[in-house]
């Protein structure tokens, strides 16, 4: 009985909604020890209505959040933990995914267009064609971003141009735009009955409508994309009370933290100093390096992004980011599309059984290539096949592809900053794969450090929520930050072998480039198709 009464008195707890591309989680942490007490997870369905299109149902996303919250509260009650100890909730989310809804009915006007969707390729080409010198970096001085299918503004432009309901709702001033964080916060704080329409600086900085120097929506950028400013959410800091939960078991609890998932992982990995970096292995791969209070412009294809702003009166902190569209998604593809594995956990066993790709290279450019190339015309290829190649080699090549893509970004980051990284901190779903972690250390030639508590994204936003003014149950004071226990993977192969494999990968990437072009194709009798 003593143990359970201790549990009752455990002090303040902070919860996190972690809404990712392939799943939603709700997690509850002890604010004093950063220990994860309980969580629940629900998979999210993706639909692919046409080639290159990726959508999710906004109502399913919202429902999954409610389900995870209620299930986690039930689990805490079974553990004899009082849910009234939950003092704050943070929201972290898949970034760039774009939604428009009707503020009068609360109904979405179209499915959520997911960040890696490619339908906006012609929109992007049209925009680039109207810039001086057809320069995809035309807006980079304000946004830190190239004009690309990846960011929200072009997705929103597509919705305005192609979906009658969205166009009409804008004309009759019923439309609200937001990324996933805005949709969730609006719904959870009351929706059509007074919901709060806001976003934080880290999410706003991924739309291409936000000026990363003035820290606000930019009228010139909105004019460039021809997007009405009145449909945009209010931009707030990453750590302040936005509103209170309006329904469910946690009614009345403040929502007081908001960070795009990659920023949240940076915070959760305690990369709060200039020069510290982390890589998250999820659906995609995202390497962020904290650059402190000054935005650093990349000459090597990286993005300049707002990492976080911890409170209304705090200065913003910036990061350099390298984004890879396809990481964990390649494993899902091997399972769902090729059927060579039955479950995602099987890939490690399959790849370990051969220990080599046997000269097979896999460039998973399913959504074009992101950093450092920004080449939407690239497509996935598998090359170096022989009669000897089997599904085990393919599994190994898929894992290697994730590591090679990370290496390309790390090289770019080292060139931009002039200070090579001496070790890489990692997190995300794929890091449970020990073979992948070892391969990554081998291909980078530096140690890879994995925390023993993998939920760093949720932890980061829980910290932001708990530290907010008016909540103040978590402290960012270095003296109070709990040290994270971790495991280190040291490089085990010689540098020469690692470099030769990397050189062949680069050769494969060249072959994947400019695949999808709008140029006419000649058929065998010389006629243009």
């Amino acid at each position: 009985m003593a143990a359970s009464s201790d549990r009752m008195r455990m002090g303040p707890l902070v919860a996190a909604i972690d809404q990712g591309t392939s799943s939603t989680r709700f997690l509850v942490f002890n604010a004093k020890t950063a220990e994860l007490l309980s969580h629940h997870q629900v998979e999210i369905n993706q639909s692919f209505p046409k080639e290159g299109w990726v959508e999710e149902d906004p109502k399913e996303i919202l429902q999954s959040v409610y389900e995870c919250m209620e299930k986690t509260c039930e689990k805490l009650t079974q553990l004899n933990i009082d849910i009234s100890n939950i003092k704050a909730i943070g929201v972290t989310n898949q970034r760039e995914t774009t939604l428009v809804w009707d503020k009068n009915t609360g109904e979405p006007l179209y499915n959520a267009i997911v960040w890696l969707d490619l339908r906006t390729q012609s929109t992007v080409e049209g925009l680039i064609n109207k810039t001086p010198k057809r320069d995809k970096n035309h807006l980079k001085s304000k946004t830190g971003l190239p004009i690309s299918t990846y960011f929200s503004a072009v997705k929103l432009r597509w919705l305005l141009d192609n979906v009658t309901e969205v166009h009409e709702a804008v004309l009759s001033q019923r439309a609200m735009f937001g990324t996933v964080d805005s949709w969730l916060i609006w719904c959870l704080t009351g929706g059509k009955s007074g919901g709060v329409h806001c976003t934080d600086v880290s999410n706003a900085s991924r739309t291409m409508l936000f000026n990363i120097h003035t820290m606000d929506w930019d009228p010139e950028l909105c004019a460039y994309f021809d997007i009405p400013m009145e449909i945009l959410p209010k931009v707030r800091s990453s750590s302040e009370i936005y509103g209170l939960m309006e329904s469910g078991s946690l009614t009345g609890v403040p929502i007081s933290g908001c960070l795009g998932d990659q920023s949240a992982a940076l915070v959760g990995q305690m990369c709060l100093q200039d020069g510290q970096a982390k890589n998250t292995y999820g659906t995609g791969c995202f390497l962020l390096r904290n650059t402190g209070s000054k935005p650093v412009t990349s000459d090597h294809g990286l993005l300049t992004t707002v990492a976080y702003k911890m409170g209304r009166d705090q200065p913003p902190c910036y990061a350099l980011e390298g984004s890879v569209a396809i990481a964990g998604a390649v494993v899902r593809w091997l399972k769902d599309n090729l059927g060579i594995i039955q479950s995602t956990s099987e890939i490690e066993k399959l790849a370990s059984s051969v220990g080599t790709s046997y000269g097979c290279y896999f460039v998973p450019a399913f959504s074009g290539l992101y950093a450092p190339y920004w080449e939407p015309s690239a497509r996935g290829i598998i090359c170096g096949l022989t009669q000897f190649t089997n599904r085990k080699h393919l599994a190994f090549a898929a894992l290697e592809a994730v590591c090679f893509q990370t290496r390309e970004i790390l090289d770019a980051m080292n060139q931009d900053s002039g200070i090579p990284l001496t070790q890489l901190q990692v997190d995300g779903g794929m890091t449970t794969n020990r073979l992948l972690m070892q391969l990554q250390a081998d291909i980078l030639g530096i140690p890879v450090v994995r925390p023993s508590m993998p939920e760093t994204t949720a932890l980061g936003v829980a910290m932001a929520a708990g530290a907010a003014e008016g909540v103040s149950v978590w402290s960012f004071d270095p003296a109070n930050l709990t040290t994270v226990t971790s495991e280190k993977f040291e490089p085990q192969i010689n540098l020469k072998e690692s470099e030769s494999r990397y050189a062949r990968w680069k050769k494969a990437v060249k072959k994947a480039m400019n695949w999808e072009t709008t140029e006419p194709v000649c058929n065998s009798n010389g006629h243009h198709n």
Side-chain angles (χ1 to χ4, degrees):
M1 194 52 214
S4 63
S5 63
D6 281 352
R7 268 276 156 81
M8 301 288 279
R9 284 202 311 267
M10 68 189 345
L13 312 178
V14 180
I17 295 164
D18 181 355
Q19 205 299 300
T21 316
S22 51
S23 71
T24 298
R25 298 184 185 77
F26 187 74
L27 310 93
V28 176
F29 297 91
N30 180 328
K32 292 283 170 269
T33 62
E35 176 198 1
L36 174 60
L37 300 175
S38 185
H39 75 288
H40 190 76
Q41 176 169 348
V42 172
E43 295 289 310
I44 296 287
N45 293 303
Q46 293 177 354
S47 56
F48 307 95
K50 295 184 184 176
E51 189 192 342
W53 292 31
V54 191
E55 295 179 4
E56 291 179 354
D57 176 356
K59 291 172 101 166
E60 184 194 340
I61 291 174
L62 179 63
Q63 202 41 53
S64 72
V65 169
Y66 280 122
E67 185 183 333
C68 289
M69 284 177 133
E70 294 307 321
K71 288 276 174 30
T72 306
C73 287
E74 282 168 29
K75 289 177 186 179
L76 288 169
T77 307
Q78 284 161 6
L79 291 167
N80 207 3
I81 295 171
D82 189 347
I83 62 170
S84 71
N85 285 336
I86 297 175
K87 300 303 178 198
I89 298 168
V91 176
T92 179
N93 55 287
Q94 48 169 316
R95 303 170 307 167
E96 297 95 18
T97 296
T98 300
L99 300 92
V100 180
W101 63 95
D102 184 317
K103 66 178 167 197
N104 298 340
T105 64
E107 291 293 307
L109 296 168
Y110 192 80
N111 272 343
I113 301 182
V114 177
W115 55 275
L116 44 66
D117 182 284
L118 281 178
R119 77 188 63 188
T120 53
Q121 198 166 329
S122 58
T123 312
V124 167
E125 284 166 13
L127 288 165
I128 291 173
N129 284 338
K130 71 173 194 183
T131 65
K133 299 185 189 158
R134 302 187 64 238
D135 177 15
K136 66 182 169 196
N137 291 317
H138 179 60
L139 306 177
K140 207 170 175 183
S141 60
K142 281 188 172 187
T143 64
L145 313 171
I147 301 169
S148 157
T149 57
Y150 183 16
F151 307 109
S152 312
V154 289
K155 296 172 166 55
L156 179 52
R157 186 65 256 156
W158 186 92
L159 287 166
L160 292 165
D161 291 339
N162 294 281
V163 181
T164 312
E165 291 83 350
V166 172
H167 181 68
E168 285 173 356
V170 168
L171 290 179
S172 57
Q173 301 190 322
R174 290 177 289 114
M176 283 185 157
F177 152 78
T179 40
V180 171
D181 55 309
S182 300
W183 165 245
L184 292 178
I185 292 171
W186 185 79
C187 292
L188 297 173
T189 56
K192 60 185 179 186
S193 317
V196 178
H197 189 213
C198 69
T199 186
D200 92 299
V201 294
S202 69
N203 281 298
S205 77
R206 313 295 293 189
T207 58
M208 297 206 87
L209 303 171
F210 181 80
N211 185 320
I212 61 173
H213 309 286
T214 64
M215 299 301 280
D216 212 344
W217 302 122
D218 189 291
E220 283 180 9
L221 291 171
C222 291
Y224 177 84
F225 289 101
D226 192 17
I227 284 166
M229 290 184 81
E230 56 275 14
I231 71 173
L232 305 179
K234 187 170 165 40
V235 183
R236 313 272 290 263
S237 78
S238 314
S239 176
E240 60 177 272
I241 295 175
Y242 313 113
L244 306 180
M245 282 290 296
E246 283 293 326
S247 63
S249 301
L250 298 176
T251 299
V253 178
I255 299 175
S256 56
C258 179
L259 285 163
D261 52 8
Q262 303 313 323
S263 288
L266 192 75
V267 174
Q269 284 268 30
M270 314 292 170
C271 295
L272 303 170
Q273 304 293 317
D274 186 351
Q276 291 178 311
K278 67 89 206 169
N279 196 25
T280 299
Y281 299 76
T283 301
C285 241
F286 303 90
L287 182 54
L288 270 72
R289 183 177 186 135
N290 187 324
T291 62
S293 57
K294 288 193 176 62
V296 174
T297 305
S298 170
D299 299 321
H300 299 91
L302 302 180
L303 310 176
T304 307
T305 198
V306 181
Y308 52 80
K309 177 174 155 67
M310 287 304 173
R312 261 177 273 206
D313 308 323
Q314 295 300 312
C317 180
Y318 295 90
L320 269 178
E321 172 172 342
S323 328
V324 168
I326 304 292
V330 75
V331 182
R332 205 166 168 171
W333 182 82
L334 291 176
K335 174 172 84 71
D336 297 345
N337 296 33
L338 295 196
I340 70 169
I341 48 175
Q342 264 56 63
S343 70
T344 48
S345 55
E346 219 181 295
I347 190 163
E348 182 173 6
K349 204 162 76 211
L350 200 63
S352 296
S353 66
V354 281
T356 170
S357 70
Y358 202 76
C360 164
Y361 287 82
F362 187 167
V363 182
F366 303 155
S367 295
L369 286 167
Y370 284 12
Y373 302 104
W374 299 105
E375 191 45 77
S377 68
R379 284 297 175 272
I381 61 164
I382 300 169
C383 51
L385 300 175
T386 67
Q387 279 175 306
F388 183 71
T389 313
N390 62 32
R391 68 193 188 110
K392 296 173 181 174
H393 301 120
L394 197 55
F396 194 94
L399 293 180
E400 246 186 349
V402 175
C403 300
F404 286 133
Q405 291 182 104
T406 300
R407 163 82 194 263
E408 291 191 301
I409 287 173
L410 197 76
D411 285 358
M413 219 162 250
N414 287 341
Q415 286 173 302
D416 277 330
S417 66
I419 308 160
L421 212 58
T422 52
Q423 66 173 31
L424 182 64
Q425 283 162 245
V426 300
D427 57 74
M430 287 188 91
T431 60
T432 54
N433 185 324
R434 299 184 65 85
L435 173 65
L436 179 73
M437 295 294 92
Q438 187 54 56
L439 270 176
Q440 189 66 87
D442 290 346
I443 286 165
L444 296 180
I446 59 174
V448 166
V449 181
R450 177 182 74 183
S452 46
M453 200 286 291
E455 301 291 355
T456 46
T457 302
L459 176 62
V461 84
M463 290 165 69
E469 189 184 338
V471 179
S472 305
V473 295
W474 212 305
S475 164
F476 276 103
D477 180 359
N480 298 338
L481 290 176
T482 42
T483 49
V484 183
T485 54
S486 56
E487 182 177 0
K488 201 180 239 192
F489 295 82
E490 298 279 357
Q492 287 176 356
I493 63 170
N494 70 46
L495 198 62
K496 198 170 167 196
E497 189 197 336
S498 160
E499 290 303 318
S500 101
R501 273 156 62 181
Y502 183 49
R504 297 188 81 164
W505 155 263
K506 296 282 252 190
K507 199 166 149 187
V509 170
K510 278 206 179 75
K511 305 248 185 265
M513 296 285 198
N514 302 314
W515 192 267
E516 201 53 48
T517 57
T518 43
E519 289 160 23
V521 182
C522 279
N523 61 19
S524 54
N525 54 13
H527 292 299
H528 282 295
N529 289 343

